[in-house]
Amino acid sequence: MRGKLIVGNWKMHGGLAANSALLVALLAGWKSPADRTVAVCVPFPYIGQARDALAGSAIAWGAQDVSAHVSGAFTGEVSAGMLAEFGCRYVLVGHSERRQLHGETDAVVAAKAAAALDGGLTPVVCVGETLAERNAGHTPAVVWRQLDAVMSVLGGRMTLTVLAYEPVWAIGTGVTATPPEAQAVHALLRARLAAAGAQGISVLYGGSVKAANAAELFAMPDIDGGLVGGASLDANEFLAIAAA
Ligand code: 13P
């Protein structure tokens, strides 16, 4: 269902002591207005730590990846059921770093989204074009292809997901899509979601979101919040983004 959502993606950062300080600061600073949800997606080993710190609070937690499989001989993988057992509510699937560095195809991303739903998690499905694809005018074709792959597997269950548009050229670069640039792609994605009756889900923007640009991005009609990388590691920055 469509609602404001701000998700921190810690990526492969942190450690017990740093996480503890960050979680304590988030809990102390988050005023939790009723109109939005805040979550952090932490590295696998720290999900228990996040649960212990955040259980019963207004901040949800989740993971950054999930296996497409339920169980079995899949060394190194973590299933949706395992994540659910640790109270995870969200899991990122298809982040560009997984697609680019770990060879995840559209089909794998779709299978992971399905596995997440089967395990009771909300998949945050990430799509986005590279700079070369954007410069070639291929942005709509790329993000539609990535989205269609997931919709074709999930069908009507697409309504149970969150979509995140993360232009690859804006991730970790300090270069943010301008609010109108991001809005244009969000509008394309939302229109496409209608094919699965899912135009009413939350569509997040990600890529160099900061306290200084969050409000103008989130003010766009088809942007429902953010997927925040680097700035989610700084409690004050992340809290300001969440409040934007
Ligand atoms: P940055 O906010 O660091 O650009 O990262 C975005 C991202 O990849 C979130 O998933």
Side-chain angles (χ1 to χ4, degrees), residues 7-11 13 92 95-97 126 164 166-168 170-176 205-210 226-232 241:
V7 180
N9 173 10
W10 289 6
K11 306 195 179 182
H13 293 290
L92 309 182
H95 191 282
S96 62
E97 289 150 18
C126 304
E166 295 205 309
V168 178
I171 294 177
T173 59
V175 180
T176 318
Y205 169 79
S208 297
V209 175
K210 300 182 171 21
L227 180 53
V228 184
S232 72
I241 292 166

